[in-house]
Amino acid sequence: MSVGVLALQGDFREHADVLRELGADVTFVRRPEELARISGLVIPGGESSVMDKLARTFGVAEPLRAAVRAGLPVYGTCAGLIMLADTILDGIVGQEGIGGLDIAVRRNAFGSQTESFEIDLAVPALGRAPVHAAFIRAPVVETVGPRARALATLPDGRCVAVEQGNLLGTSFHPEITGEHRFHEYFLQKVQTAAFAA
């Protein structure tokens, strides 16, 4: 199973380590030709506006949009969730996403780096044990459209994990807390989809 990690910016190495530990063959994706060799893609955390600019500069943004429309399984964490959202409520001027998730997100919804936090979340789709989640300058899903479904919410009701078909997104960073169940859940989507570019 060949899974790509978008390696333009952010914590792509941490995702690659988790995916390899789970048995996936990992390709770092920076150009369209690398995108054509994978069956699934992880978009890591980082800075969504920078990631957007680099994706367009390297010519991978439009091929990625087309691949998402064609059914490529994609998992986005933090900035990756922002990239997958159909609507970015507070993007910088000219910021574009990849789209695909029927959600509206707000960037840096929890404040600055100093207001980062960790919490245990109930995620019924992943079993009974709670998921330990780290939020670092994280977005929040303000609206979940009819095509998407919430997987996890904070105690105050704000949505922080969502899925829609082959797409999966989390506001938090399971790759840095030793929590592998979201990656396992994503790899199940990759296997089931059997996507061919």
Side-chain angles (χ1 to χ4, degrees), residues 86-176:
D86 282 346
T87 304
I88 304 170
L89 296 172
D90 57 348
I92 66 167
V93 174
Q95 182 171 356
E96 298 176 13
I98 299 303
L101 276 174
D102 184 16
I103 59 171
V105 297
R106 187 169 302 282
R107 300 161 66 239
N108 300 338
F110 301 98
S112 68
Q113 186 99 6
T114 58
E115 295 171 280
S116 300
F117 66 97
E118 297 185 20
I119 191 171
D120 286 339
L121 296 173
V123 186
L126 301 186
R128 295 181 64 177
V131 168
H132 189 68
F135 290 81
I136 304 168
R137 293 182 63 229
V140 72
V141 179
E142 294 229 341
T143 306
V144 179
R147 296 190 312 279
R149 82 171 177 127
L151 293 177
T153 58
L154 292 172
D156 63 9
R158 289 183 289 177
C159 177
V160 291
V162 66
E163 73 174 337
Q164 180 181 327
N166 290 335
L167 304 179
L168 178 66
T170 57
S171 298
F172 47 90
H173 292 267
E175 74 281 3
I176 65 172

Side-chain angles (χ1 to χ4, degrees), residues 30-53:
R30 296 181 179 94
R31 292 182 170 79
E33 56 267 27
E34 293 152 347
L35 186 62
R37 295 195 297 262
I38 60 172
S39 301
L41 179 71
V42 173
I43 304 178
E47 174 47 58
S48 62
S49 59
V50 173
M51 213 175 285
D52 164 47
K53 288 177 185 174

